[in-house]
Amino acid sequence: MKTLKNLLIVTVITSIFSCSSDDDNRIIDPGNGGGVITENELKGEISEDATLSASIEYTLTGSFTINEGATLTIEPGTVIKAKSGRTDVFLAVERGAKLIAKGTAEKPIKFTSDASSPKAGDWGGIVIAGRAKSNKGVDVQSEVAGLLYGGTDDADNSGELSYIIAEYTGAKINGEQEFNGISFFGVGNGTVVNNIVVSNGNDDGVEFFGGSVNVTNVYCANIADDMFDWTGGYTGTITNAFGVRNDGFDAATDDPRGIEGDSNSSDPTAAPISTPTLKNVTILNLNPDVALKAGAEIRRGTQAIISNVLFAAYGNASFGNRIDTKDDKGNGSLTITNAASQGNVGEDKIGGDITGTVTTITDGITVTADNTLTTKAGVGADLSAFNWANQSFVVTKLN
């Protein structure tokens, strides 16, 4: 694989875009051997290796697809602004393609809206397809972006995402097709994913459709639907996950949740069954006007393991249920250890088995006199892992 240094050595060509008569289907051609894309508009397809430079502020104006066999490298500190108000604006990675987006704590890579007053759902999001197993099949079409995904290679490698911020995502095409912040379709565990933030999303924060990719340090803030979601036989591990709804973020579906875990709604016994492992998780609601339907809804054949988890509602905020394993399309089962809850988080709704108990505590989440939110060490997610993202909290303090 070419390194970033090698890509930057390539002479930058003066004419980057090769446009067809139909501009919507144009090919972005960085030249044989790769090169830096110097035009600031991103739209179309990449069929050769290419690099986005941190020295250029790019605008994503349509679908931007990395074709099979090509690699797109994004330099640390790069900012990509998506054209707002469109459902056809997204970044897609085909099976056999790679996205190497390696930001740093000092220079994260940011995907955001170009609107002067951005809001949830301004653009689509990031969609990655791979060749790992799915209980939907081996050549399944993704819900959005029209990519094929699935296969037999759980070690498939779609690249790396590190220190990524994706905000104002979740454009809704119709009632059945909605973008998430980052969607992983059959992505394999050869892919590296760590230190990612999704905020102000109009559907789910991150969702896994089958696959085996592991994710470390993932933060979802202000998500209209589910913060963390999986389906289709997902078998990866999620480590250090923090999800929060701030006071004042009122965009919500009918059933927003912290965690929603499915396996297969048509056949809950279909193989592979979703069997993810989650470690060090906090689900937090700070908004008294929008209740989370559940802290964790584990259903439709899913068999999940969650260790060191905190379900917390601060002040007058609430959950409908803490844990829900009951569903008319198939119950789920959950094994929990070192589980705690704080505040009005509802009762457990048991359909499938819940192994383990949840301890009630009062100090997992605290708010200091200056309205700063802190988390108790060793309980749930480690919030300090996201200091690089400068995340903030909106809390209505009680008199």
Side-chain angles (χ1 to χ4, degrees), residues 60 62-64 82 86-93 99 111-112 121-128 144-145 166-172 178-183 198 204-205:
L60 183 64
S63 61
F64 183 48
R86 300 269 296 273
T87 60
D88 61 345
V89 178
F90 56 87
L91 173 63
V93 183
L99 172 63
F111 295 83
T112 189
D122 267 355
W123 65 289
I126 301 170
V127 184
I128 305 175
V144 294
E167 55 188 14
Y168 308 111
T169 60
K172 179 181 290 189
E178 299 168 322
F179 285 92
N180 306 304
I182 306 178
S183 301
V198 177
D204 298 331

PDB file of all heavy atoms in Angstrom, residues 60 62-64 82 86-93 99 111-112 121-128 144-145 166-172 178-183 198 204-205:
ATOM      1  N   LEU A  60     -18.152  18.890  -0.548  1.00  0.00           N
ATOM      2  CA  LEU A  60     -18.779  17.682  -1.073  1.00  0.00           C
ATOM      3  C   LEU A  60     -20.129  18.083  -1.639  1.00  0.00           C
ATOM      4  O   LEU A  60     -21.026  18.491  -0.905  1.00  0.00           O
ATOM      5  CB  LEU A  60     -18.926  16.668   0.059  1.00  0.00           C
ATOM      6  CG  LEU A  60     -19.487  15.287  -0.265  1.00  0.00           C
ATOM      7  CD1 LEU A  60     -18.564  14.531  -1.210  1.00  0.00           C
ATOM      8  CD2 LEU A  60     -19.678  14.496   1.028  1.00  0.00           C
ATOM      9  N   GLY A  62     -22.002  16.180  -4.039  1.00  0.00           N
ATOM     10  CA  GLY A  62     -22.818  15.067  -4.524  1.00  0.00           C
ATOM     11  C   GLY A  62     -22.273  13.772  -3.964  1.00  0.00           C
ATOM     12  O   GLY A  62     -21.479  13.764  -3.018  1.00  0.00           O
ATOM     13  N   SER A  63     -22.682  12.659  -4.541  1.00  0.00           N
ATOM     14  CA  SER A  63     -22.118  11.381  -4.116  1.00  0.00           C
ATOM     15  C   SER A  63     -20.661  11.316  -4.558  1.00  0.00           C
ATOM     16  O   SER A  63     -20.310  11.710  -5.668  1.00  0.00           O
ATOM     17  CB  SER A  63     -22.910  10.220  -4.720  1.00  0.00           C
ATOM     18  OG  SER A  63     -22.867  10.265  -6.135  1.00  0.00           O
ATOM     19  N   PHE A  64     -19.803  10.835  -3.674  1.00  0.00           N
ATOM     20  CA  PHE A  64     -18.369  10.768  -3.922  1.00  0.00           C
ATOM     21  C   PHE A  64     -17.928   9.360  -3.555  1.00  0.00           C
ATOM     22  O   PHE A  64     -17.908   8.995  -2.377  1.00  0.00           O
ATOM     23  CB  PHE A  64     -17.663  11.826  -3.080  1.00  0.00           C
ATOM     24  CG  PHE A  64     -16.172  11.923  -3.301  1.00  0.00           C
ATOM     25  CD1 PHE A  64     -15.636  11.973  -4.572  1.00  0.00           C
ATOM     26  CD2 PHE A  64     -15.312  11.997  -2.214  1.00  0.00           C
ATOM     27  CE1 PHE A  64     -14.270  12.087  -4.775  1.00  0.00           C
ATOM     28  CE2 PHE A  64     -13.941  12.108  -2.390  1.00  0.00           C
ATOM     29  CZ  PHE A  64     -13.415  12.155  -3.672  1.00  0.00           C
ATOM     30  N   ALA A  82     -20.025  19.517   3.455  1.00  0.00           N
ATOM     31  CA  ALA A  82     -21.016  18.912   2.571  1.00  0.00           C
ATOM     32  C   ALA A  82     -22.095  19.923   2.203  1.00  0.00           C
ATOM     33  O   ALA A  82     -22.549  20.699   3.048  1.00  0.00           O
ATOM     34  CB  ALA A  82     -21.654  17.707   3.252  1.00  0.00           C
ATOM     35  N   ARG A  86     -29.424  18.280   0.813  1.00  0.00           N
ATOM     36  CA  ARG A  86     -29.468  17.294  -0.273  1.00  0.00           C
ATOM     37  C   ARG A  86     -29.413  15.889   0.310  1.00  0.00           C
ATOM     38  O   ARG A  86     -28.779  15.651   1.330  1.00  0.00           O
ATOM     39  CB  ARG A  86     -28.265  17.497  -1.206  1.00  0.00           C
ATOM     40  CG  ARG A  86     -28.181  18.867  -1.872  1.00  0.00           C
ATOM     41  CD  ARG A  86     -28.883  18.859  -3.212  1.00  0.00           C
ATOM     42  NE  ARG A  86     -28.224  17.957  -4.140  1.00  0.00           N
ATOM     43  CZ  ARG A  86     -27.202  18.307  -4.927  1.00  0.00           C
ATOM     44  NH1 ARG A  86     -26.687  19.527  -4.870  1.00  0.00           N
ATOM     45  NH2 ARG A  86     -26.684  17.434  -5.778  1.00  0.00           N
ATOM     46  N   THR A  87     -30.075  14.954  -0.350  1.00  0.00           N
ATOM     47  CA  THR A  87     -30.016  13.551   0.068  1.00  0.00           C
ATOM     48  C   THR A  87     -29.007  12.756  -0.748  1.00  0.00           C
ATOM     49  O   THR A  87     -28.798  11.567  -0.475  1.00  0.00           O
ATOM     50  CB  THR A  87     -31.395  12.881  -0.080  1.00  0.00           C
ATOM     51  OG1 THR A  87     -31.804  12.946  -1.456  1.00  0.00           O
ATOM     52  CG2 THR A  87     -32.424  13.580   0.795  1.00  0.00           C
ATOM     53  N   ASP A  88     -28.376  13.374  -1.734  1.00  0.00           N
ATOM     54  CA  ASP A  88     -27.418  12.671  -2.588  1.00  0.00           C
ATOM     55  C   ASP A  88     -25.994  13.115  -2.312  1.00  0.00           C
ATOM     56  O   ASP A  88     -25.117  12.979  -3.163  1.00  0.00           O
ATOM     57  CB  ASP A  88     -27.762  12.885  -4.060  1.00  0.00           C
ATOM     58  CG  ASP A  88     -27.716  14.357  -4.486  1.00  0.00           C
ATOM     59  OD1 ASP A  88     -27.700  15.232  -3.591  1.00  0.00           O
ATOM     60  OD2 ASP A  88     -27.706  14.621  -5.701  1.00  0.00           O
ATOM     61  N   VAL A  89     -25.739  13.642  -1.139  1.00  0.00           N
ATOM     62  CA  VAL A  89     -24.406  14.104  -0.765  1.00  0.00           C
ATOM     63  C   VAL A  89     -23.861  13.176   0.315  1.00  0.00           C
ATOM     64  O   VAL A  89     -24.341  13.175   1.453  1.00  0.00           O
ATOM     65  CB  VAL A  89     -24.447  15.562  -0.269  1.00  0.00           C
ATOM     66  CG1 VAL A  89     -23.068  16.019   0.165  1.00  0.00           C
ATOM     67  CG2 VAL A  89     -24.989  16.479  -1.358  1.00  0.00           C
ATOM     68  N   PHE A  90     -22.859  12.371  -0.055  1.00  0.00           N
ATOM     69  CA  PHE A  90     -22.294  11.406   0.884  1.00  0.00           C
ATOM     70  C   PHE A  90     -20.955  10.915   0.350  1.00  0.00           C
ATOM     71  O   PHE A  90     -20.633  11.074  -0.834  1.00  0.00           O
ATOM     72  CB  PHE A  90     -23.245  10.211   1.089  1.00  0.00           C
ATOM     73  CG  PHE A  90     -23.642   9.495  -0.176  1.00  0.00           C
ATOM     74  CD1 PHE A  90     -22.863   8.470  -0.697  1.00  0.00           C
ATOM     75  CD2 PHE A  90     -24.797   9.857  -0.856  1.00  0.00           C
ATOM     76  CE1 PHE A  90     -23.227   7.808  -1.873  1.00  0.00           C
ATOM     77  CE2 PHE A  90     -25.178   9.210  -2.031  1.00  0.00           C
ATOM     78  CZ  PHE A  90     -24.390   8.182  -2.546  1.00  0.00           C
ATOM     79  N   LEU A  91     -20.167  10.288   1.241  1.00  0.00           N
ATOM     80  CA  LEU A  91     -18.926   9.625   0.861  1.00  0.00           C
ATOM     81  C   LEU A  91     -19.148   8.130   0.935  1.00  0.00           C
ATOM     82  O   LEU A  91     -19.596   7.614   1.970  1.00  0.00           O
ATOM     83  CB  LEU A  91     -17.792  10.045   1.802  1.00  0.00           C
ATOM     84  CG  LEU A  91     -16.463   9.297   1.640  1.00  0.00           C
ATOM     85  CD1 LEU A  91     -15.864   9.550   0.265  1.00  0.00           C
ATOM     86  CD2 LEU A  91     -15.474   9.698   2.737  1.00  0.00           C
ATOM     87  N   ALA A  92     -18.831   7.415  -0.133  1.00  0.00           N
ATOM     88  CA  ALA A  92     -19.052   5.966  -0.189  1.00  0.00           C
ATOM     89  C   ALA A  92     -17.756   5.244  -0.533  1.00  0.00           C
ATOM     90  O   ALA A  92     -16.969   5.708  -1.364  1.00  0.00           O
ATOM     91  CB  ALA A  92     -20.117   5.636  -1.234  1.00  0.00           C
ATOM     92  N   VAL A  93     -17.557   4.086   0.108  1.00  0.00           N
ATOM     93  CA  VAL A  93     -16.378   3.253  -0.123  1.00  0.00           C
ATOM     94  C   VAL A  93     -16.860   1.880  -0.572  1.00  0.00           C
ATOM     95  O   VAL A  93     -17.502   1.154   0.193  1.00  0.00           O
ATOM     96  CB  VAL A  93     -15.529   3.125   1.153  1.00  0.00           C
ATOM     97  CG1 VAL A  93     -14.260   2.324   0.872  1.00  0.00           C
ATOM     98  CG2 VAL A  93     -15.184   4.498   1.720  1.00  0.00           C
ATOM     99  N   LEU A  99     -10.422   3.539   2.390  1.00  0.00           N
ATOM    100  CA  LEU A  99     -10.382   4.915   2.864  1.00  0.00           C
ATOM    101  C   LEU A  99      -9.348   4.967   3.985  1.00  0.00           C
ATOM    102  O   LEU A  99      -9.507   4.304   5.010  1.00  0.00           O
ATOM    103  CB  LEU A  99     -11.751   5.350   3.383  1.00  0.00           C
ATOM    104  CG  LEU A  99     -11.810   6.709   4.074  1.00  0.00           C
ATOM    105  CD1 LEU A  99     -11.449   7.835   3.105  1.00  0.00           C
ATOM    106  CD2 LEU A  99     -13.205   6.951   4.663  1.00  0.00           C
ATOM    107  N   PHE A 111     -15.825  16.160   8.834  1.00  0.00           N
ATOM    108  CA  PHE A 111     -16.879  16.205   7.827  1.00  0.00           C
ATOM    109  C   PHE A 111     -18.025  16.999   8.440  1.00  0.00           C
ATOM    110  O   PHE A 111     -18.559  16.626   9.489  1.00  0.00           O
ATOM    111  CB  PHE A 111     -17.363  14.802   7.480  1.00  0.00           C
ATOM    112  CG  PHE A 111     -16.333  13.926   6.820  1.00  0.00           C
ATOM    113  CD1 PHE A 111     -15.394  13.245   7.581  1.00  0.00           C
ATOM    114  CD2 PHE A 111     -16.300  13.776   5.439  1.00  0.00           C
ATOM    115  CE1 PHE A 111     -14.443  12.427   6.995  1.00  0.00           C
ATOM    116  CE2 PHE A 111     -15.351  12.959   4.833  1.00  0.00           C
ATOM    117  CZ  PHE A 111     -14.421  12.286   5.613  1.00  0.00           C
ATOM    118  N   THR A 112     -18.445  18.073   7.782  1.00  0.00           N
ATOM    119  CA  THR A 112     -19.460  18.938   8.370  1.00  0.00           C
ATOM    120  C   THR A 112     -20.363  19.500   7.280  1.00  0.00           C
ATOM    121  O   THR A 112     -20.205  19.199   6.098  1.00  0.00           O
ATOM    122  CB  THR A 112     -18.797  20.064   9.188  1.00  0.00           C
ATOM    123  OG1 THR A 112     -19.786  20.773   9.921  1.00  0.00           O
ATOM    124  CG2 THR A 112     -18.016  21.022   8.302  1.00  0.00           C
ATOM    125  N   GLY A 121     -29.219  16.282   9.710  1.00  0.00           N
ATOM    126  CA  GLY A 121     -29.804  15.864   8.446  1.00  0.00           C
ATOM    127  C   GLY A 121     -29.422  16.728   7.270  1.00  0.00           C
ATOM    128  O   GLY A 121     -30.009  16.588   6.188  1.00  0.00           O
ATOM    129  N   ASP A 122     -28.447  17.610   7.417  1.00  0.00           N
ATOM    130  CA  ASP A 122     -28.055  18.481   6.308  1.00  0.00           C
ATOM    131  C   ASP A 122     -27.473  17.702   5.128  1.00  0.00           C
ATOM    132  O   ASP A 122     -27.582  18.130   3.982  1.00  0.00           O
ATOM    133  CB  ASP A 122     -27.009  19.495   6.779  1.00  0.00           C
ATOM    134  CG  ASP A 122     -27.631  20.802   7.239  1.00  0.00           C
ATOM    135  OD1 ASP A 122     -28.861  20.958   7.114  1.00  0.00           O
ATOM    136  OD2 ASP A 122     -26.887  21.674   7.734  1.00  0.00           O
ATOM    137  N   TRP A 123     -26.840  16.568   5.405  1.00  0.00           N
ATOM    138  CA  TRP A 123     -26.248  15.761   4.329  1.00  0.00           C
ATOM    139  C   TRP A 123     -26.300  14.296   4.734  1.00  0.00           C
ATOM    140  O   TRP A 123     -26.825  13.969   5.795  1.00  0.00           O
ATOM    141  CB  TRP A 123     -24.815  16.213   4.030  1.00  0.00           C
ATOM    142  CG  TRP A 123     -23.823  16.016   5.126  1.00  0.00           C
ATOM    143  CD1 TRP A 123     -23.747  16.701   6.313  1.00  0.00           C
ATOM    144  CD2 TRP A 123     -22.743  15.077   5.163  1.00  0.00           C
ATOM    145  NE1 TRP A 123     -22.708  16.251   7.073  1.00  0.00           N
ATOM    146  CE2 TRP A 123     -22.064  15.262   6.392  1.00  0.00           C
ATOM    147  CE3 TRP A 123     -22.280  14.111   4.268  1.00  0.00           C
ATOM    148  CZ2 TRP A 123     -20.954  14.495   6.750  1.00  0.00           C
ATOM    149  CZ3 TRP A 123     -21.169  13.353   4.629  1.00  0.00           C
ATOM    150  CH2 TRP A 123     -20.524  13.550   5.849  1.00  0.00           C
ATOM    151  N   GLY A 124     -25.791  13.416   3.882  1.00  0.00           N
ATOM    152  CA  GLY A 124     -25.884  11.984   4.152  1.00  0.00           C
ATOM    153  C   GLY A 124     -24.963  11.528   5.258  1.00  0.00           C
ATOM    154  O   GLY A 124     -25.298  11.575   6.440  1.00  0.00           O
ATOM    155  N   GLY A 125     -23.767  11.106   4.920  1.00  0.00           N
ATOM    156  CA  GLY A 125     -22.819  10.599   5.902  1.00  0.00           C
ATOM    157  C   GLY A 125     -21.755   9.792   5.192  1.00  0.00           C
ATOM    158  O   GLY A 125     -21.549   9.924   3.985  1.00  0.00           O
ATOM    159  N   ILE A 126     -21.075   8.944   5.943  1.00  0.00           N
ATOM    160  CA  ILE A 126     -20.015   8.097   5.412  1.00  0.00           C
ATOM    161  C   ILE A 126     -20.530   6.667   5.349  1.00  0.00           C
ATOM    162  O   ILE A 126     -21.053   6.147   6.341  1.00  0.00           O
ATOM    163  CB  ILE A 126     -18.761   8.173   6.302  1.00  0.00           C
ATOM    164  CG1 ILE A 126     -18.257   9.619   6.391  1.00  0.00           C
ATOM    165  CG2 ILE A 126     -17.660   7.259   5.757  1.00  0.00           C
ATOM    166  CD1 ILE A 126     -17.170   9.822   7.432  1.00  0.00           C
ATOM    167  N   VAL A 127     -20.394   6.028   4.189  1.00  0.00           N
ATOM    168  CA  VAL A 127     -20.912   4.678   3.965  1.00  0.00           C
ATOM    169  C   VAL A 127     -19.768   3.801   3.479  1.00  0.00           C
ATOM    170  O   VAL A 127     -19.157   4.087   2.456  1.00  0.00           O
ATOM    171  CB  VAL A 127     -22.057   4.681   2.933  1.00  0.00           C
ATOM    172  CG1 VAL A 127     -22.641   3.286   2.778  1.00  0.00           C
ATOM    173  CG2 VAL A 127     -23.140   5.693   3.310  1.00  0.00           C
ATOM    174  N   ILE A 128     -19.482   2.722   4.201  1.00  0.00           N
ATOM    175  CA  ILE A 128     -18.366   1.838   3.857  1.00  0.00           C
ATOM    176  C   ILE A 128     -18.883   0.421   3.685  1.00  0.00           C
ATOM    177  O   ILE A 128     -19.626  -0.086   4.535  1.00  0.00           O
ATOM    178  CB  ILE A 128     -17.289   1.867   4.955  1.00  0.00           C
ATOM    179  CG1 ILE A 128     -16.824   3.308   5.212  1.00  0.00           C
ATOM    180  CG2 ILE A 128     -16.095   0.992   4.563  1.00  0.00           C
ATOM    181  CD1 ILE A 128     -15.863   3.439   6.365  1.00  0.00           C
ATOM    182  N   VAL A 144     -28.585   2.614   1.736  1.00  0.00           N
ATOM    183  CA  VAL A 144     -28.297   3.878   1.067  1.00  0.00           C
ATOM    184  C   VAL A 144     -27.021   3.731   0.258  1.00  0.00           C
ATOM    185  O   VAL A 144     -26.225   2.818   0.481  1.00  0.00           O
ATOM    186  CB  VAL A 144     -28.142   5.034   2.079  1.00  0.00           C
ATOM    187  CG1 VAL A 144     -29.451   5.326   2.778  1.00  0.00           C
ATOM    188  CG2 VAL A 144     -27.059   4.708   3.111  1.00  0.00           C
ATOM    189  N   ALA A 145     -26.826   4.589  -0.707  1.00  0.00           N
ATOM    190  CA  ALA A 145     -25.617   4.666  -1.538  1.00  0.00           C
ATOM    191  C   ALA A 145     -25.507   3.585  -2.600  1.00  0.00           C
ATOM    192  O   ALA A 145     -24.650   3.665  -3.475  1.00  0.00           O
ATOM    193  CB  ALA A 145     -24.346   4.665  -0.676  1.00  0.00           C
ATOM    194  N   ALA A 166     -17.793  13.554  12.306  1.00  0.00           N
ATOM    195  CA  ALA A 166     -18.835  13.641  11.273  1.00  0.00           C
ATOM    196  C   ALA A 166     -20.057  14.273  11.921  1.00  0.00           C
ATOM    197  O   ALA A 166     -20.624  13.703  12.859  1.00  0.00           O
ATOM    198  CB  ALA A 166     -19.162  12.265  10.714  1.00  0.00           C
ATOM    199  N   GLU A 167     -20.471  15.437  11.448  1.00  0.00           N
ATOM    200  CA  GLU A 167     -21.569  16.151  12.098  1.00  0.00           C
ATOM    201  C   GLU A 167     -22.622  16.600  11.095  1.00  0.00           C
ATOM    202  O   GLU A 167     -22.345  16.776   9.912  1.00  0.00           O
ATOM    203  CB  GLU A 167     -21.039  17.347  12.885  1.00  0.00           C
ATOM    204  CG  GLU A 167     -20.195  18.305  12.086  1.00  0.00           C
ATOM    205  CD  GLU A 167     -19.522  19.369  12.956  1.00  0.00           C
ATOM    206  OE1 GLU A 167     -19.485  19.223  14.191  1.00  0.00           O
ATOM    207  OE2 GLU A 167     -19.040  20.363  12.370  1.00  0.00           O
ATOM    208  N   TYR A 168     -23.865  16.742  11.598  1.00  0.00           N
ATOM    209  CA  TYR A 168     -25.040  17.175  10.824  1.00  0.00           C
ATOM    210  C   TYR A 168     -25.394  16.184   9.723  1.00  0.00           C
ATOM    211  O   TYR A 168     -25.829  16.548   8.636  1.00  0.00           O
ATOM    212  CB  TYR A 168     -24.819  18.591  10.252  1.00  0.00           C
ATOM    213  CG  TYR A 168     -24.397  19.573  11.304  1.00  0.00           C
ATOM    214  CD1 TYR A 168     -23.113  20.106  11.321  1.00  0.00           C
ATOM    215  CD2 TYR A 168     -25.285  19.950  12.311  1.00  0.00           C
ATOM    216  CE1 TYR A 168     -22.716  20.990  12.316  1.00  0.00           C
ATOM    217  CE2 TYR A 168     -24.899  20.827  13.309  1.00  0.00           C
ATOM    218  CZ  TYR A 168     -23.619  21.346  13.310  1.00  0.00           C
ATOM    219  OH  TYR A 168     -23.229  22.219  14.299  1.00  0.00           O
ATOM    220  N   THR A 169     -25.229  14.908  10.007  1.00  0.00           N
ATOM    221  CA  THR A 169     -25.493  13.838   9.052  1.00  0.00           C
ATOM    222  C   THR A 169     -26.953  13.368   9.163  1.00  0.00           C
ATOM    223  O   THR A 169     -27.736  13.893   9.936  1.00  0.00           O
ATOM    224  CB  THR A 169     -24.557  12.654   9.322  1.00  0.00           C
ATOM    225  OG1 THR A 169     -24.795  12.190  10.661  1.00  0.00           O
ATOM    226  CG2 THR A 169     -23.103  13.059   9.184  1.00  0.00           C
ATOM    227  N   GLY A 170     -27.283  12.333   8.394  1.00  0.00           N
ATOM    228  CA  GLY A 170     -28.574  11.668   8.543  1.00  0.00           C
ATOM    229  C   GLY A 170     -29.665  12.120   7.616  1.00  0.00           C
ATOM    230  O   GLY A 170     -30.852  12.058   7.964  1.00  0.00           O
ATOM    231  N   ALA A 171     -29.327  12.568   6.415  1.00  0.00           N
ATOM    232  CA  ALA A 171     -30.357  12.976   5.458  1.00  0.00           C
ATOM    233  C   ALA A 171     -31.338  11.832   5.218  1.00  0.00           C
ATOM    234  O   ALA A 171     -30.951  10.675   5.067  1.00  0.00           O
ATOM    235  CB  ALA A 171     -29.710  13.404   4.142  1.00  0.00           C
ATOM    236  N   LYS A 172     -32.609  12.161   5.180  1.00  0.00           N
ATOM    237  CA  LYS A 172     -33.659  11.160   5.005  1.00  0.00           C
ATOM    238  C   LYS A 172     -34.134  11.161   3.557  1.00  0.00           C
ATOM    239  O   LYS A 172     -34.596  12.177   3.037  1.00  0.00           O
ATOM    240  CB  LYS A 172     -34.829  11.450   5.944  1.00  0.00           C
ATOM    241  CG  LYS A 172     -35.983  10.462   5.822  1.00  0.00           C
ATOM    242  CD  LYS A 172     -37.123  10.806   6.759  1.00  0.00           C
ATOM    243  CE  LYS A 172     -36.754  10.566   8.186  1.00  0.00           C
ATOM    244  NZ  LYS A 172     -37.913  10.682   9.106  1.00  0.00           N
ATOM    245  N   GLU A 178     -32.571   6.073   5.177  1.00  0.00           N
ATOM    246  CA  GLU A 178     -32.002   7.202   5.893  1.00  0.00           C
ATOM    247  C   GLU A 178     -30.521   6.956   6.124  1.00  0.00           C
ATOM    248  O   GLU A 178     -30.110   5.833   6.413  1.00  0.00           O
ATOM    249  CB  GLU A 178     -32.708   7.379   7.248  1.00  0.00           C
ATOM    250  CG  GLU A 178     -34.193   7.669   7.131  1.00  0.00           C
ATOM    251  CD  GLU A 178     -34.914   7.543   8.463  1.00  0.00           C
ATOM    252  OE1 GLU A 178     -34.553   6.620   9.232  1.00  0.00           O
ATOM    253  OE2 GLU A 178     -35.803   8.361   8.727  1.00  0.00           O
ATOM    254  N   PHE A 179     -29.732   7.989   5.966  1.00  0.00           N
ATOM    255  CA  PHE A 179     -28.302   7.878   6.234  1.00  0.00           C
ATOM    256  C   PHE A 179     -28.040   7.931   7.739  1.00  0.00           C
ATOM    257  O   PHE A 179     -28.758   8.595   8.486  1.00  0.00           O
ATOM    258  CB  PHE A 179     -27.542   9.022   5.562  1.00  0.00           C
ATOM    259  CG  PHE A 179     -27.389   8.881   4.080  1.00  0.00           C
ATOM    260  CD1 PHE A 179     -28.317   9.427   3.215  1.00  0.00           C
ATOM    261  CD2 PHE A 179     -26.298   8.206   3.544  1.00  0.00           C
ATOM    262  CE1 PHE A 179     -28.180   9.312   1.838  1.00  0.00           C
ATOM    263  CE2 PHE A 179     -26.147   8.083   2.171  1.00  0.00           C
ATOM    264  CZ  PHE A 179     -27.091   8.630   1.319  1.00  0.00           C
ATOM    265  N   ASN A 180     -27.012   7.237   8.159  1.00  0.00           N
ATOM    266  CA  ASN A 180     -26.488   7.362   9.500  1.00  0.00           C
ATOM    267  C   ASN A 180     -25.238   8.233   9.449  1.00  0.00           C
ATOM    268  O   ASN A 180     -24.767   8.596   8.368  1.00  0.00           O
ATOM    269  CB  ASN A 180     -26.132   5.991  10.061  1.00  0.00           C
ATOM    270  CG  ASN A 180     -27.296   5.024   9.993  1.00  0.00           C
ATOM    271  OD1 ASN A 180     -28.370   5.304  10.519  1.00  0.00           O
ATOM    272  ND2 ASN A 180     -27.096   3.887   9.338  1.00  0.00           N
ATOM    273  N   GLY A 181     -24.691   8.524  10.624  1.00  0.00           N
ATOM    274  CA  GLY A 181     -23.435   9.267  10.612  1.00  0.00           C
ATOM    275  C   GLY A 181     -22.362   8.483   9.878  1.00  0.00           C
ATOM    276  O   GLY A 181     -21.791   8.938   8.885  1.00  0.00           O
ATOM    277  N   ILE A 182     -22.078   7.277  10.367  1.00  0.00           N
ATOM    278  CA  ILE A 182     -21.161   6.359   9.694  1.00  0.00           C
ATOM    279  C   ILE A 182     -21.827   4.995   9.642  1.00  0.00           C
ATOM    280  O   ILE A 182     -22.267   4.473  10.665  1.00  0.00           O
ATOM    281  CB  ILE A 182     -19.810   6.258  10.422  1.00  0.00           C
ATOM    282  CG1 ILE A 182     -19.191   7.644  10.616  1.00  0.00           C
ATOM    283  CG2 ILE A 182     -18.846   5.366   9.633  1.00  0.00           C
ATOM    284  CD1 ILE A 182     -17.878   7.642  11.378  1.00  0.00           C
ATOM    285  N   SER A 183     -21.934   4.426   8.441  1.00  0.00           N
ATOM    286  CA  SER A 183     -22.564   3.118   8.233  1.00  0.00           C
ATOM    287  C   SER A 183     -21.508   2.127   7.784  1.00  0.00           C
ATOM    288  O   SER A 183     -20.788   2.367   6.809  1.00  0.00           O
ATOM    289  CB  SER A 183     -23.669   3.205   7.172  1.00  0.00           C
ATOM    290  OG  SER A 183     -24.668   4.123   7.550  1.00  0.00           O
ATOM    291  N   VAL A 198     -19.549  11.285  16.171  1.00  0.00           N
ATOM    292  CA  VAL A 198     -20.693  11.632  15.324  1.00  0.00           C
ATOM    293  C   VAL A 198     -21.605  12.514  16.162  1.00  0.00           C
ATOM    294  O   VAL A 198     -21.997  12.135  17.266  1.00  0.00           O
ATOM    295  CB  VAL A 198     -21.461  10.385  14.844  1.00  0.00           C
ATOM    296  CG1 VAL A 198     -22.678  10.788  14.019  1.00  0.00           C
ATOM    297  CG2 VAL A 198     -20.543   9.479  14.024  1.00  0.00           C
ATOM    298  N   ASP A 204     -29.325   7.353  12.938  1.00  0.00           N
ATOM    299  CA  ASP A 204     -28.437   6.722  13.904  1.00  0.00           C
ATOM    300  C   ASP A 204     -27.053   7.369  13.880  1.00  0.00           C
ATOM    301  O   ASP A 204     -26.637   7.951  12.874  1.00  0.00           O
ATOM    302  CB  ASP A 204     -28.293   5.233  13.598  1.00  0.00           C
ATOM    303  CG  ASP A 204     -29.622   4.497  13.691  1.00  0.00           C
ATOM    304  OD1 ASP A 204     -30.488   4.935  14.477  1.00  0.00           O
ATOM    305  OD2 ASP A 204     -29.791   3.491  12.976  1.00  0.00           O
ATOM    306  N   GLY A 205     -26.332   7.197  14.989  1.00  0.00           N
ATOM    307  CA  GLY A 205     -24.965   7.687  15.026  1.00  0.00           C
ATOM    308  C   GLY A 205     -24.051   6.800  14.207  1.00  0.00           C
ATOM    309  O   GLY A 205     -23.570   7.186  13.134  1.00  0.00           O
TER     310      GLY A 205
END
